[in-house]
Every structure is written in structure tokens, then in C-alpha cells.
């Protein structure tokens, strides 16, 4: 009997310890609160809704047409305005649209063809005059690209407009020179160019 009295308490103690461990240990495959918290913290924040900037101008003289341009941009990375002074790039236009970014800025403005010229003539002259010339297509927008000093210039055809085109100048701000050199292949930059839309009103 003495042996049972010793063995039984020992067995009960072992069973109690095991039960205590089971209570402390989370169920296998279950989520621990700390894991849940860490997972929440590491999830990327959902991007804010893109904003749209607009810019209008009169194209042509004998048969003028109003061109309304719009572009979509990330408001967390860029600020947008239409300005009539202190242009980022010299311009003879009365007003231009500007996107200010941390790494680079963009100036968007209308430009008229020389008398008798069209987009094909513009393309030919740019290929002869500028370095880094290339024909480009961003979404539905067709155009050309070239280097103008340290900036990238994009000339985009305006469908239905025989008098003007859109000139987009990308100007380096704080970006590393090598990063800025690769800007034409940057998906976010190309997406902004692809988001440009034109509407003509006679």
C-alpha cells in the first residue's frame, strides 16, 4: 500500500504538469496574437486613389479648337498645378501644367507646329537635332522622346489636332543621376504618360 501512495501522487503531478503545458501552448496551427500583430504591421498600405490634373488650351488660329488634357497621378508622390509664371522649363506659353515630385518634376505644355509642319515633320527634325531620340508609345499615346540638355522631352501627338502637340519635360530633382537616366523605363512614370487623355471641343 505504501508503494501506491507514493506512485499515485507522482502520476497525478505528472498529469497536472502536462495539462498545464497544454493550457499554455496554443493549439497547433492556431494564430498567436503576436504573429497576428506582426502580420498586420508588415502588410503594405493600400495605395490612395489616384488624382487627376487637368489642363486646357486653344489650338489653331483660323479654326481654333479647345483641347482639354488630363493626367492621373499619385497624390502621395506628386503635387499638381497649372501655373502662369516661374516655369520649371522656359516656355512661351501663357500657362503650363506642373507635377512636382521628390525625385523629378514634369512640365506639360502645348506646342504649335511650325507652319506647314505636322507630327511626322516634327519627328524628322527631332531625330536630326537631338540625342537619345526614340519613338515611343505609352498606352494609347504615340510620340517621340529625346534628351534636351539634362532633361527628357516627350512630344505626344494629340489625335484630331493638326496644329499642336503636347510637350512633356521631365526634369531631375533629387533623383540619383543613374536612376534618372533609367526614368523612361520606370513603370510608374510610363503609367502617368499612358494616363494622359485628350478631348477636343470646337
Amino acid at each position: 500500500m505504501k508503494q501506491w501512495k507514493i506512485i499515485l501522487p507522482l502520476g497525478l503531478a505528472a498529469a497536472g504538469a502536462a495539462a498545464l503545458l497544454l493550457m499554455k501552448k496554443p493549439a497547433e496551427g492556431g494564430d498567436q496574437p503576436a504573429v497576428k500583430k506582426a502580420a498586420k504591421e508588415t502588410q503594405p498600405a493600400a495605395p490612395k486613389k489616384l488624382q487627376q490634373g487637368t489642363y486646357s488650351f486653344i489650338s489653331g488660329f483660323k479654326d481654333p479648337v479647345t483641347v482639354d488634357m488630363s493626367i492621373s497621378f499619385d497624390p502621395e508622390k506628386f503635387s499638381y498645378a497649372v501655373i502662369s509664371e516661374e516655369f520649371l522649363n522656359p516656355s512661351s506659353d501663357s500657362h503650363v501644367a506642373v507635377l512636382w515630385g521628390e525625385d523629378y518634376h514634369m512640365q506639360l505644355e502645348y506646342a504649335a507646329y511650325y507652319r506647314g509642319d505636322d507630327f511626322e515633320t516634327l519627328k524628322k527634325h527631332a531625330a536630326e537635332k537631338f540625342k537619345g531620340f526614340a519613338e515611343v508609345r505609352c498606352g494609347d499615346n504615340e510620340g517621340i522622346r529625346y534628351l534636351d540638355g539634362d532633361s527628357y522631352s516627350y512630344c505626344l501627338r494629340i489625335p484630331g489636332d493638326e496644329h499642336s502637340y503636347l510637350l512633356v519635360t521631365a526634369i531631375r530633382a533629387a533623383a540619383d543621376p543613374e536612376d534618372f537616366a533609367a526614368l523612361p523605363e520606370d513603370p510608374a512614370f510610363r503609367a502617368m504618360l499612358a494616363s494622359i487623355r485628350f478631348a477636343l471641343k470646337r
Side-chain angles (χ1 to χ4, degrees):
M1 292 292 295
K2 285 184 181 180
Q3 286 182 347
W4 281 108
K5 283 180 183 178
I6 296 169
I7 293 170
L8 189 60
L10 284 174
L12 286 171
L20 193 62
L21 283 171
L22 283 171
M23 286 172 65
K24 287 186 178 178
K25 185 179 177 183
E28 198 168 319
D31 289 329
Q32 297 180 39
V35 172
K36 282 184 180 177
K37 187 178 177 183
K40 274 188 180 179
E41 290 174 355
T42 55
Q43 283 178 357
K48 283 188 176 180
K49 188 176 180 182
L50 295 178
Q51 288 187 5
Q52 194 174 74
T54 58
Y55 170 64
S56 298
F57 57 92
I58 305 295
S59 177
F61 298 100
K62 289 183 180 179
D63 185 19
V65 61
T66 300
V67 179
D68 293 328
M69 182 224 75
S70 64
I71 183 171
S72 298
F73 63 95
D74 184 344
E76 291 187 343
K77 296 182 179 178
F78 293 92
S79 56
Y80 180 89
V82 175
I83 59 175
S84 55
E85 57 184 3
E86 297 184 6
F87 301 150
L88 300 180
N89 200 49
S91 174
S92 59
D93 290 352
S94 60
H95 61 299
V96 304
V98 175
L99 278 160
W100 288 279
E102 186 176 334
D103 293 329
Y104 63 91
H105 312 309
M106 291 169 66
Q107 179 168 302
L108 303 91
E109 61 194 287
Y110 64 94
Y113 297 117
Y114 290 111
R115 183 174 294 182
D117 284 359
D118 57 12
F119 197 80
E120 293 304 317
T121 314
L122 171 72
K123 191 188 296 186
K124 182 181 176 183
H125 290 334
E128 293 170 351
K129 183 178 178 181
F130 296 104
K131 293 180 179 179
F133 174 86
E135 295 187 38
V136 295
R137 179 173 283 279
C138 297
D140 294 331
N141 295 316
E142 175 192 354
I144 59 173
R145 180 191 75 225
Y146 55 84
L147 278 169
D148 188 0
D150 294 330
S151 302
Y152 282 110
S153 291
Y154 285 76
C155 302
L156 301 182
R157 185 197 294 269
I158 302 173
D161 186 359
E162 299 175 356
H163 305 288
S164 306
Y165 59 94
L166 184 73
L167 173 61
V168 182
T169 307
I171 303 159
R172 187 171 77 87
D176 182 273
E178 288 186 11
D179 291 340
F180 185 74
L183 184 65
E185 304 308 318
D186 179 65
F189 175 70
R190 291 181 62 84
M192 276 198 292
L193 293 179
S195 76
I196 293 174
R197 295 288 179 268
F198 301 101
L200 277 60
K201 292 185 292 189
R202 297 190 181 277

